[in-house]
């Protein structure tokens, strides 16, 4: 049992830590992808000297030359950060040891069996642990399973270095909240959640991520923060699956689903609008819920609603292909040999990101059925379908297609030329009604 003198010393130590300014002056961001690079730019803009660490030398060259897929505002921030010497990039993980704060932001996809692919995250965390220094704040931001922050960072630091987390080093989880291509969801206007292994860890992590968000909401543990991210995107997945099903029902009644959704959205409480589409892509919704389901299966805990939602989402691209086959058959056109254009292949408007894009699965299914597939997307010059590389078509407006599948319409695009096509399948549900498109 501690003596009164020792207890007083501990209180004095805690008070000194609590009154010290925890804001970092030097930070490292591990992983400079769609989340890591904007995070690094936010830190640099706040006056923090940032080093970005990434294993992809081509990505680093693209950043240095400013030829990366980021918003116009971020492109300006990148230019300022590089010019002012606030941002440097390297493949050398030793740079981690020079920082007061380290933010880990690497991809956490799922494999073809919908099992979490932890290779990038495991390697990144191992590199951070190997290069960690005393009094550092380490914040994991990649979406992951519950308990991952302790498993891959806190426990290895304790075993490898004998450090006490919360005293010798500070560890937390703070999930990213970045919505690429949507300016009204600017990350600096979006609150951020932080959960530290200890209270002091949470305080240090809050200071580290404060420059990247409008406010910080602190929870009591990394597990609470990890579950927060999984809840956010599981909520979206369930509602997207439901609204896709609702849109199919609307077609059976001959009613425009968007009209109904917009009418329901006039209710100021109890309703949040979601919109139907050809499926979901990107780094979040197609993957994140599977990290939770994977853990629940291991514990034999059923989650029928989330399982059904993810199954429905996964089946949506095939629903597009089936509808395309039906539309061509209604006009007496054989599916095999048909000339089909997919308009837009990015997973959402305004970005060049094709990760998990439903368009890729749609085009693969069409090709496997003997369809002659072309695509046009001003943001995506080429895509890989198996061993085949397709190039974005030019002059597609002047051709007569057996079918045009509208997958993504980017800002500034004028789809009026579609009125001259015989059959148009609008999977976005958002084109002008005067174009007389078919829907799913």
């Amino acid at each position: 049992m501690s003596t009164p003198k020792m207890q007083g010393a501990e209180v004095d130590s805690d008070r000194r830590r609590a009154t010290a300014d925890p804001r970092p002056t030097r930070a490292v961001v591990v992983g400079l992808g769609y989340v890591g690079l904007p995070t690094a730019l936010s830190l640099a803009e706040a006056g923090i000297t940032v080093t970005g660490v990434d294993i992809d030398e081509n990505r680093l060259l693209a950043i240095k030359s400013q030829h990366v897929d980021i918003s116009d505002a971020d492109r300006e921030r990148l230019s300022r950060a590089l010019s002012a010497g606030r941002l440097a990039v390297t493949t050398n993980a030793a740079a981690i040891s020079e920082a007061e704060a380290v933010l880990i932001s690497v991809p956490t996809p799922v494999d073809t069996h919908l099992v979490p692919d932890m290779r990038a995250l495991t390697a990144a965390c191992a590199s951070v642990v190997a290069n960690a220094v005393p009094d550092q704040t380490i914040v994991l931001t990649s979406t992951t399973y519950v308990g991952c922050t302790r498993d891959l960072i806190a426990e290895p630091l304790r075993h490898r270095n004998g450090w006490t987390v919360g005293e010798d080093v500070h560890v937390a989880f703070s999930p990213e909240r970045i919505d690429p291509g949507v300016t009204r969801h600017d990350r600096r206007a979006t609150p951020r959640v932080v959960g530290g292994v200890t209270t002091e860890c949470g305080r240090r992590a809050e200071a580290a991520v404060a420059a990247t968000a409008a406010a910080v909401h602190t929870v009591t543990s990394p597990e609470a923060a990890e579950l927060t991210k999984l809840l956010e995107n599981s909520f979206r997945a369930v509602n997207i699956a439901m609204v896709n099903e609702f849109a199919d029902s609307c077609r059976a009644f001959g009613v425009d689903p968007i009209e109904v959704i917009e009418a329901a959205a006039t209710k100021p409480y109890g309703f949040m609008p979601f919109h139907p589409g050809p499926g979901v892509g990107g780094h979040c919704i197609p993957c994140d819920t599977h990290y939770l389901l994977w853990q629940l299966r291991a514990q034999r805990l059923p989650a029928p609603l989330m399982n059904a939602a993810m199954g429905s989402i996964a089946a949506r691209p095939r629903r597009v292909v089936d509808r395309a086959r039906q539309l061509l058959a209604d006009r007496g056109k054989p599916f095999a040999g048909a000339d089909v254009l997919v308009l837009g292949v990015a997973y959402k408007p305004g970005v060049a990101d094709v990760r998990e894009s439903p368009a890729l699965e749609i085009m693969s299914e069409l090709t496997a059925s003997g369809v002659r597939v072309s695509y046009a997307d001003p943001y995506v010059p080429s895509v890989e379908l198996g061993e085949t590389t397709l190039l974005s078509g030019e002059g597609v407006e002047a051709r007569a297609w057996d079918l045009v599948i509208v997958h993504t319409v980017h800002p500034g695009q004028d789809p009026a030329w579609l009125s001259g096509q015989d059959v148009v399948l609008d999977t976005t549900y958002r084109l002008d009604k005067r174009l007389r498109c078919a829907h799913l």
Side-chain angles (χ1 to χ4, degrees):
M1 180 179 293
S2 299
T3 65
K5 184 176 181 180
M6 289 176 66
Q7 289 173 343
E10 289 171 359
V11 170
D12 288 343
S13 177
D14 288 343
R15 187 178 295 116
R16 280 194 300 271
R17 284 199 300 266
T19 55
D21 186 354
R23 291 176 297 179
T25 59
R26 300 184 307 271
V28 161
V29 176
V30 179
L32 293 174
Y34 285 92
V35 172
L37 179 56
T39 299
L41 295 176
S42 291
L43 294 169
E45 192 171 44
I48 298 170
T49 300
V50 183
T51 300
V53 177
D54 199 292
I55 61 172
D56 187 346
E57 292 185 358
N58 290 329
R59 177 66 174 176
L60 300 187
L61 289 173
I63 291 170
K64 290 176 182 178
S65 63
Q66 302 179 45
H67 293 146
V68 282
D69 178 29
I70 52 179
S71 68
D72 290 340
D74 274 344
R75 200 174 304 282
E76 293 175 5
R77 294 186 188 105
L78 176 58
S79 178
R80 290 196 299 268
L82 292 172
S83 299
R86 287 286 185 191
L87 175 65
V89 296
T90 181
T91 59
N92 188 357
I96 292 167
S97 64
E98 301 298 322
E100 298 158 350
V102 180
L103 281 68
I104 304 168
S105 183
V106 297
T108 50
V110 294
D111 63 19
T112 55
H113 300 288
L114 303 180
V115 173
D117 182 350
M118 298 290 294
R119 289 174 296 177
L121 184 58
T122 300
C125 290
S127 182
V128 169
V129 168
N131 290 279
V133 295
D135 208 36
Q136 204 166 47
T137 300
I138 301 171
V139 184
L140 177 58
T141 75
S142 304
T143 305
T144 187
Y145 67 87
V146 183
C148 181
T149 306
R150 293 186 196 268
D151 290 349
L152 296 189
I153 303 175
E155 285 303 304
L157 284 169
R158 184 172 68 85
H159 286 291
R160 181 180 184 275
N161 299 330
W163 290 345
T164 298
V165 175
E167 295 181 7
D168 303 308
V169 68
H170 304 91
V171 177
F173 183 78
S174 180
E176 55 84 10
R177 283 174 167 172
I178 290 179
D179 194 0
V182 183
T183 55
R184 68 181 182 276
H185 294 162
D186 187 284
R187 62 188 175 278
R188 294 169 303 169
T190 303
R192 192 151 186 172
V193 172
V194 165
V197 173
T198 69
T199 300
E200 181 64 13
C201 289
R203 191 178 79 94
R204 299 284 188 107
E206 180 178 342
V209 304
T212 70
V216 178
H217 179 89
T218 301
V219 293
T220 57
S221 66
E223 290 78 11
E226 289 160 347
L227 271 168
T228 297
K229 179 64 173 183
L230 295 175
L231 172 60
E232 290 172 8
N233 283 335
S234 296
F235 172 85
R236 293 170 66 193
V238 169
N239 279 278
I240 289 170
M242 186 276 290
V243 81
N244 282 340
E245 184 177 289
F246 178 79
D248 293 346
S249 301
C250 283
R251 188 166 71 85
F253 293 114
V255 175
D256 178 5
I258 301 300
E259 181 181 8
V260 177
I261 292 167
E262 290 177 348
T266 63
K267 185 179 180 181
Y269 58 90
F271 184 83
M272 178 181 292
F274 286 79
H275 295 92
V280 293
H283 63 289
C284 288
I285 299 172
C287 303
D288 291 359
T289 303
H290 289 297
Y291 278 74
L292 180 57
L293 293 173
W294 171 69
Q295 277 189 289
L296 295 178
R297 284 194 298 270
Q299 298 185 41
R300 304 294 191 271
L301 291 175
L305 184 60
M306 286 188 288
N307 268 307
M310 297 307 290
S312 176
I313 284 171
R316 193 66 173 174
R318 185 162 293 181
R319 171 86 176 108
V320 175
V321 175
D322 289 343
R323 181 69 170 132
R325 181 183 285 108
Q326 179 186 28
L327 289 170
L328 289 173
D330 288 347
R331 286 158 178 77
K333 295 181 181 292
F335 204 46
D339 286 312
V340 173
L341 173 71
V342 177
L343 185 61
V345 295
Y347 86 90
K348 66 187 296 188
V351 301
D353 194 351
V354 296
R355 288 177 300 168
E356 309 295 336
S357 173
L360 303 183
E361 185 175 346
I362 291 167
M363 291 193 292
S364 293
E365 292 275 351
L366 292 171
T367 300
S369 299
V371 173
R372 292 195 291 265
V373 179
S374 302
Y375 88 92
D377 190 316
Y379 283 63
V380 184
S382 66
V383 295
E384 303 293 330
L385 292 182
E387 298 180 356
T388 302
T389 299
L390 294 183
L391 302 179
S392 179
E394 297 181 359
V396 296
E397 300 90 341
R399 283 192 56 181
W401 301 93
D402 293 325
L403 172 68
V404 177
I405 299 175
V406 181
H407 179 275
T408 307
V409 179
H410 290 291
Q413 282 190 300
D414 182 4
W417 64 274
L418 292 169
S419 62
Q421 298 294 323
D422 285 343
V423 190
V424 177
L425 173 56
D426 175 22
T427 71
T428 73
Y429 293 83
R430 305 312 293 265
L431 293 186
D432 194 315
K433 293 181 179 63
R434 290 173 293 183
L435 295 178
R436 296 163 58 186
C437 301
H439 296 113
L440 295 176

